[in-house]
Amino acid sequence: MKVLIVHAHPEPQSFTTSMQHCAVRTLEAQGHEVMVSDLYAMNWNPVASEADFGMRRNADYLVYALEQRENVAAQAIAPDIAAELEKLLACDLVIFSFPLFWCSVPAIMKGWIDRVMVSGKVYGGLRFYDRGGMRGKRAMLAYTCGGRDFMFGPDAVHGEMDLMLRHMLRGTLGYAGFEVLPSFVAYHVPYIANEERVAMLERYADTLAKLDQLQPLAFPTLDDFDSEMRPRVLAEQLGEQD
Amino acid sequence: MKVLIVHAHPEPQSFTTSMQHCAVRTLEAQGHEVMVSDLYAMNWNPVASEADFGMRRNADYLVYALEQRENVAAQAIAPDIAAELEKLLACDLVIFSFPLFWCSVPAIMKGWIDRVMVSGKVYGGLRFYDRGGMRGKRAMLAYTCGGRDFMFGPDAVHGEMDLMLRHMLRGTLGYAGFEVLPSFVAYHVPYIANEERVAMLERYADTLAKLDQLQPLAFPTLDDFDSEMRPRVLAEQLGEQD
């Protein structure tokens, strides 16, 4: 298996970084090939802009997704994007490794998603969810947060964590066609003792060693929707009323 | 009323930018003072890093939120952050104006949130939701997207849009203490005719002229949770079982 770890943390000694190192060790020990995109170390540019395009379909008005499609096809996309896209297309599993910033990924990682998950390859037209460009690949979030586990859940103060991350789990990874594995969440990290951190790393390594035993998240199948993306059942009911 | 519009779109002629101009016109015509932070025009740096801090509480290990608190208190936070924080603290209403990128804000705007919504002022300790630092202020998302309105809803292909945006509506704005107004969403923008766009701008202006009539979103009150953030009802039940 080829694995891409997209990692972002502003402190190279962070526990999140230890988790990333743990993932590399564990996966390589299993015989997998691991590529790491360490976005802070790479000084990754997160800003989607006209500078990303070596040619322009429309030089007067920027439609970012359109120019992505055209520039990837013409091999004119910015070299930093092309290099990451090559890793993404080559891998069987992507792990996003990050500290939770405002219930989402840090901006530098959001900019990897905005710029690298290009229209035309990753999604486009009616290619999303189970027809998305990334089908056949798996993806997983592995993140740290300051909150405690009991603060997340149906009756908890912040509700369910997976709902907070729905824009990533469903709106990004599921939409792109990935089989999305359950997230690995390290809670309360800034406040816990070293032995608890060691136990978390062991739990993470154990999870990574048994990925095939994880039950992927469920998302819609486009079979349930018509070509306009209206629910088929509803469309049939409306038809009967004509 | 003082209004801050945080705006991000890579194309200055975009419909999203027209919406932003419409908001400025409408709100100024009502006598409000409007500030605009146009992040692409400002060449805003979205990357939270050690470069944001003029002094360090801990120079050997970066805890971003800790250094935010210390540097704001010591007036040593980076000047670009200080300028935006001053606008944020001065305003009564913040409007986030953006095109939906991967069911969230573009990375350049995520980096405004990561860097400007500082620990110590915006949130911190047990100050969140109805005790958040931004209580007394209102916030609103105003965004464009390519999808059609019927693609979002309880039985729709993508589920409810407000669940996709939960990390922003609840995890960011609600958490910070804002009264969060319903989002203004302009659907299917890349594909619609000019007269539909004009009608959307009129609907947006009408919405902005009647903000007081909007019903804010509901979020938890910390009164329902104990000092550890466990639900009080549950805590009482557990107590009875002792």
Side-chain angles (χ1 to χ4, degrees), chain B:
Chain B
M1 188 166 65
K2 284 190 183 179
V3 183
L4 170 59
I5 302 179
V6 183
H7 174 79
H9 198 292
E11 171 53 63
Q13 306 169 86
S14 68
F15 180 71
T16 314
T17 309
S18 298
M19 281 178 55
Q20 182 245 295
H21 293 159
C22 168
V24 173
R25 277 195 311 274
T26 304
L27 293 164
E28 287 186 344
Q30 291 179 280
H32 303 304
E33 182 185 331
V34 184
M35 304 170 279
V36 177
S37 292
D38 183 341
L39 302 182
Y40 273 91
M42 291 157 69
N43 198 23
W44 176 256
N45 164 28
V47 181
S49 81
E50 61 183 4
D52 293 343
F53 307 120
M55 53 83 77
R56 287 287 288 277
R57 171 68 176 271
N58 182 347
D60 299 322
Y61 189 100
L62 178 66
V63 177
Y64 193 77
L66 169 70
E67 299 294 348
Q68 282 183 318
R69 285 197 295 279
E70 299 282 335
N71 276 264
V72 168
Q75 298 188 299
I77 197 106
D80 60 342
I81 297 174
E84 293 303 301
L85 181 58
E86 191 177 327
K87 293 181 202 172
L88 175 63
L89 297 178
C91 78
D92 305 295
L93 166 68
V94 189
I95 298 174
F96 291 88
S97 165
F98 59 97
L100 202 64
F101 279 15
W102 292 104
C103 292
S104 187
V105 297
I108 197 171
M109 182 173 280
K110 181 56 166 63
W112 189 94
I113 294 165
D114 290 349
R115 297 177 71 226
V116 178
M117 292 181 63
V118 294
S119 177
K121 291 283 187 187
V122 173
Y123 71 100
L126 292 177
R127 296 188 307 127
F128 53 96
Y129 292 134
D130 54 345
R131 296 178 197 166
M134 298 294 99
R135 66 194 178 284
K137 300 181 191 293
R138 294 188 291 183
M140 180 182 181
L141 306 184
Y143 58 93
T144 56
C145 75
R148 299 179 68 164
D149 53 359
F150 64 77
M151 294 177 187
F152 298 89
D155 299 315
V157 67
H158 299 308
E160 291 177 58
M161 187 64 112
D162 276 5
L163 284 184
M164 282 292 191
L165 273 298
R166 181 181 255 222
H167 62 297
M168 279 292 297
L169 296 169
R170 178 167 171 173
T172 302
L173 303 176
Y175 180 92
F178 285 104
E179 184 175 278
V180 183
L181 300 177
S183 303
F184 185 89
V185 190
Y187 288 100
H188 213 221
V189 163
Y191 310 105
I192 61 177
N194 194 53
E195 53 263 40
E196 289 178 86
R197 293 182 172 210
V198 170
M200 269 181 188
L201 290 177
E202 284 169 5
R203 191 165 58 87
Y204 186 41
D206 195 53
T207 300
L208 292 172
K210 295 172 183 167
L211 287 181
D212 292 339
Q213 296 175 26
L214 298 176
Q215 179 69 34
L217 306 191
F219 299 115
T221 166
L222 292 196
D223 293 344
D224 292 341
F225 297 85
D226 67 18
S227 62
E228 275 208 309
M229 291 302 124
R230 296 185 193 267
R232 283 197 190 279
V233 175
L234 183 62
E236 280 160 22
Q237 284 169 350
L238 288 172
E240 284 166 11
Q241 287 165 358
D242 278 348

Side-chain angles (χ1 to χ4, degrees), chain A:
Chain A
M1 187 165 68
K2 285 190 182 179
V3 183
L4 170 61
I5 302 179
V6 184
H7 174 80
H9 197 293
E11 170 54 62
Q13 305 169 84
S14 68
F15 180 71
T16 314
T17 309
S18 298
M19 281 178 55
Q20 182 245 294
H21 293 159
C22 168
V24 173
R25 275 196 312 273
T26 304
L27 293 163
E28 286 186 346
Q30 291 179 278
H32 303 305
E33 183 185 329
V34 184
M35 304 169 278
V36 177
S37 292
D38 182 341
L39 303 183
Y40 273 92
M42 293 158 70
N43 198 22
W44 175 257
N45 165 28
V47 181
S49 80
E50 60 183 5
D52 293 343
F53 307 119
M55 53 83 77
R56 286 288 288 275
R57 171 70 176 269
N58 183 348
D60 300 323
Y61 189 100
L62 178 66
V63 177
Y64 192 78
L66 170 70
E67 299 294 349
Q68 282 183 318
R69 285 196 294 280
E70 299 282 336
N71 276 264
V72 168
Q75 299 189 297
I77 198 105
D80 59 342
I81 297 174
E84 293 304 301
L85 181 59
E86 193 177 326
K87 294 182 203 171
L88 176 63
L89 296 178
C91 77
D92 305 296
L93 167 68
V94 190
I95 297 174
F96 290 89
S97 165
F98 59 96
L100 203 63
F101 278 15
W102 290 105
C103 292
S104 186
V105 298
I108 198 170
M109 182 172 279
K110 181 57 166 61
W112 189 94
I113 293 165
D114 290 349
R115 296 177 70 225
V116 178
M117 292 181 63
V118 294
S119 178
K121 291 281 187 190
V122 174
Y123 72 100
L126 292 178
R127 296 190 307 128
F128 53 95
Y129 292 133
D130 53 347
R131 298 180 196 164
M134 298 294 99
R135 67 193 177 284
K137 300 180 191 293
R138 295 188 289 184
M140 181 182 182
L141 306 183
Y143 57 92
T144 55
C145 75
R148 300 180 68 163
D149 54 359
F150 64 76
M151 294 177 185
F152 298 90
D155 298 316
V157 66
H158 299 309
E160 292 177 57
M161 187 65 111
D162 276 4
L163 283 183
M164 281 293 191
L165 273 297
R166 181 181 255 223
H167 63 295
M168 280 294 295
L169 296 169
R170 177 168 172 172
T172 302
L173 303 175
Y175 181 92
F178 286 104
E179 185 176 279
V180 183
L181 301 176
S183 304
F184 185 90
V185 189
Y187 289 99
H188 214 221
V189 163
Y191 310 104
I192 61 177
N194 193 52
E195 52 263 42
E196 289 178 85
R197 293 182 172 211
V198 170
M200 270 183 189
L201 290 177
E202 284 169 7
R203 191 165 57 88
Y204 186 41
D206 196 54
T207 301
L208 292 171
K210 297 174 184 166
L211 287 181
D212 292 339
Q213 296 175 25
L214 298 176
Q215 179 69 34
L217 307 191
F219 299 116
T221 165
L222 292 195
D223 293 344
D224 293 340
F225 297 86
D226 67 17
S227 63
E228 275 208 307
M229 291 303 123
R230 294 184 195 269
R232 282 196 191 279
V233 176
L234 183 61
E236 280 158 22
Q237 284 170 349
L238 288 172
E240 283 165 12
Q241 288 165 359
D242 277 350

